[in-house]
Amino acid sequence: MHVLRRFFPRLLACGLLLSLLSGCGVNDIPTYDEAVKAAWAQVDNQYKRRADLIPNLVEVVKGFAAQEKDTLTAVVEARAKATQTQLPSDILSNPEAFRQFEANQGAIGQALSRLLVVVERYPDLKSNQNFLSLQAQLEGTENRIAVARRDYIQAVQVYNTELRTFPGRIWASLLYSEMEIRETFTQPESLAEPPQVTFN
């Protein structure tokens, strides 16, 4: 009983200190960092999904529009460049690597846009079931990319704001000095928008 009375004030003080620390944002930085990583994983996942659809799309188009070799080659090359680039582990805080990733994905989007314009010249292709299925999957993937990018941008905004404002700035300097500002998408809106896929 005597021991309990002696340590009770200390235990109470520790409990109060812990509850104050947990309520003052000390865990916000790692929590937001994990949200950024999860959002980035979704962005990367959706870009990979798009890259996986491209070979099938190119093969279907090739069967109908063999004379459009330059356009087909541009799509294949853009995909190859994007999928062969090894992403560094620090891509989220490495401006140069992030911009290169962004440029590679923009090149795929532009090449796909050109391919879809070419398709307009081939009525038989536009009615082919394989093509229609791939076109629907591509359109859905482009929408998922837009959503994943939006979620990533929002997660980065929360994380970067926490690192730059009070009390997050204090916690970052005391406990999380290895945490860096994260990069976000900056490419022009014309590249960020999904290609318009219309078949009339």
Side-chain angles (χ1 to χ4, degrees), residues 53 57 60 116 119 125-126 128-142 195-199:
L53 287 172
L57 184 65
V60 170
L116 296 174
V119 167
L125 174 59
K126 291 192 301 185
N128 178 282
Q129 287 304 310
N130 287 338
F131 179 76
L132 291 174
S133 172
L134 288 167
Q135 177 263 330
Q137 290 180 53
L138 180 63
E139 186 176 76
T141 300
E142 292 295 337
Q196 296 301 312
V197 183
T198 56
F199 300 98

Side-chain angles (χ1 to χ4, degrees), residues 35-108:
V36 168
K37 290 175 185 174
W40 174 254
Q42 273 304 323
V43 169
D44 192 38
N45 184 41
Q46 295 309 324
Y47 277 129
K48 286 177 181 170
R49 176 183 162 86
R50 178 174 72 175
D52 291 345
L53 287 172
I54 290 172
N56 295 330
L57 184 65
V58 167
E59 285 303 312
V60 170
V61 173
K62 194 185 293 184
F64 285 86
Q67 63 271 29
E68 304 293 348
K69 185 177 179 182
D70 291 344
T71 304
L72 293 170
T73 301
V75 172
V76 171
E77 287 175 355
R79 177 191 180 269
K81 185 175 183 181
T83 57
Q84 290 172 357
T85 302
Q86 291 294 324
L87 299 180
S89 60
D90 69 342
I91 188 168
L92 299 182
S93 57
N94 181 335
E96 186 177 316
F98 195 89
R99 299 295 170 254
Q100 185 60 51
F101 173 83
E102 200 172 20
N104 289 345
Q105 295 303 327
I108 289 178

